[in-house]
Amino acid sequence: MRQPTVRMTNVRVRYGRSEALKGISLDVHGHEILAIIGPAQSGKTTVLKTINRTIDDVRGAVVTGSVEVDGEDVRRVKDVFALRRKIGMVAPLPVGLPLSIFDNVAFAPRMAGLRKRAEVEERVERCLRQAALWDEVKDRLDSLGTRLSGGQQQRLTIARALSHDPEILCLDEFSIAVDPVTTMRIEDVLKELRHRMTIILVTNLVQQARRLADRTAFLLNGELVEVNTTAAIFSDAAADRRTCDYVNGIFG
Ligand SMILES: Nc1ncnc2c1ncn2[C@@H]1O[C@H](COP(=O)(O)OP(=O)(O)O)[C@@H](O)[C@H]1O
Ligand SMILES: [Mg+2]
């Protein structure tokens, strides 16, 4: 069997005294959509932060256990920027740079050394198309990204996350600030992207996991209660009572 794209083994994270992850072991396979569901504060965002090592930026955070990306322990990685280029990250609220639509998407590729105008243009167009935004913005690429609607800005954020050709795309509750129509459009985008990359979808919407994910992991209070095929998680056969209760909306 091929090695997993991400392998977390007994990962614990403490923020000062409180333990946010209590020994998580979880594999993410290549080209799957893995959903991570669970109530607020269960540790979902912390999982993503250990993968791209933005946890390093949190003062007082202590990580033990191991996180491997493509078989390499992320803590041994010397070039953390190279690691982060492998991993596209989409935050809950769109965080556009105060730049034009074009420059928002061109920023990372230029930083990585892409210089030829035609190549940059090609990259920008491809990423905007993949994020299902191209048709709406192609005639105003020079206007400010921050002028777009909330739903468009979230798609611009996705285009930016794609602009450095990531192998893994992580989305953290992307639909929190967008309307249902945009949410469905972005879900369609993810269905297309799954053929090209591995997707980790942290979501507060259990039905979104059900619609999109190949497998679903349920986190509760920093513990991984269960990970299984999405069909199993949403059937009466879920191994843990708490999983059934959560996906049926009994708590959380
Ligand atoms: N920077 C931080 N400093 C201290 N505690 C934090 C920090 N970030 C998260 N936590 C705590 O860690 C736990 C898990 O948080 P988080 O990973 O954000 O959960 P989720 O994304 O599921 O809501 C929570 O109890 C939260 O309060
Ligand atoms: Mg979170």
Side-chain angles (χ1 to χ4, degrees):
M1 210 178 126
R2 285 173 56 201
Q3 74 177 10
T5 301
V6 179
R7 166 159 283 175
M8 305 181 69
T9 310
N10 197 22
V11 175
R12 292 177 181 273
V13 175
R14 273 189 295 113
Y15 294 111
R17 287 238 177 94
S18 77
E19 201 169 35
L21 295 181
K22 300 171 181 166
I24 302 280
S25 297
L26 176 66
D27 284 354
V28 187
H29 308 310
H31 294 264
E32 74 170 339
I33 299 185
L34 176 80
I36 301 179
I37 60 172
Q41 316 268 291
S42 54
K44 304 181 298 299
T45 299
T46 301
V47 166
L48 298 183
K49 285 184 176 169
T50 63
I51 298 172
N52 73 350
R53 274 189 46 191
T54 47
I55 194 82
D56 294 9
D57 305 333
V58 182
R59 271 191 72 195
V62 179
V63 185
T64 63
S66 81
V67 180
E68 292 173 3
V69 173
D70 293 331
E72 189 181 16
D73 187 332
V74 297
R75 259 171 312 156
R76 300 233 174 83
V77 164
K78 296 251 159 46
D79 184 354
V80 73
F81 296 103
L83 173 74
R84 289 178 190 169
R85 278 197 295 276
K86 251 189 196 185
I87 303 165
M89 192 63 74
V90 176
L93 298 173
V95 277
L97 300 168
L99 299 171
S100 72
I101 294 166
F102 186 94
D103 288 341
N104 258 282
V105 185
F107 188 83
R110 281 180 181 142
M111 289 289 282
L114 199 66
R115 285 279 171 273
K116 290 205 184 101
R117 179 79 194 169
E119 284 174 4
V120 176
E121 281 175 357
E122 193 182 273
R123 179 80 63 96
V124 169
E125 177 171 342
R126 170 165 59 80
C127 295
L128 287 169
R129 282 187 187 281
Q130 284 178 344
L133 187 57
W134 175 252
D135 290 338
E136 288 160 55
V137 301
K138 63 177 190 281
D139 300 322
R140 49 174 172 141
L141 293 173
D142 290 331
S143 64
L144 271 178
T146 45
R147 293 249 176 84
L148 296 170
S149 73
Q152 289 171 327
Q153 283 191 50
Q154 192 57 293
R155 278 175 285 153
L156 182 61
T157 311
I158 292 175
R160 280 180 50 208
L162 295 173
S163 69
H164 43 85
D165 281 332
E167 198 182 300
I168 305 167
L169 181 65
C170 300
L171 300 106
D172 193 357
E173 303 194 339
F174 75 82
S175 44
I176 249 174
V178 300
D179 59 90
V181 174
T182 303
T183 294
M184 296 316 284
R185 288 196 71 168
I186 296 176
E187 288 190 11
D188 288 340
V189 167
L190 298 180
K191 285 181 201 152
E192 288 298 315
L193 289 174
R194 79 192 316 163
H195 304 298
R196 302 165 208 262
M197 60 193 73
T198 303
I199 298 177
I200 305 176
L201 176 73
V202 164
T203 180
N204 56 323
L205 305 173
V206 293
Q207 293 307 324
Q208 184 166 71
R210 188 176 202 165
R211 286 191 292 270
L212 290 176
D214 300 296
R215 293 190 309 137
T216 296
F218 174 47
L219 272 190
L220 184 65
N221 294 325
E223 285 173 46
L224 179 67
V225 173
E226 185 168 359
V227 55
N228 210 332
T229 61
T230 298
I233 291 285
F234 284 89
S235 72
D236 293 336
D240 197 290
R241 176 86 241 155
R242 292 169 294 174
T243 310
C244 292
D245 288 352
Y246 184 70
V247 302
N248 290 308
I250 294 172
F251 72 88

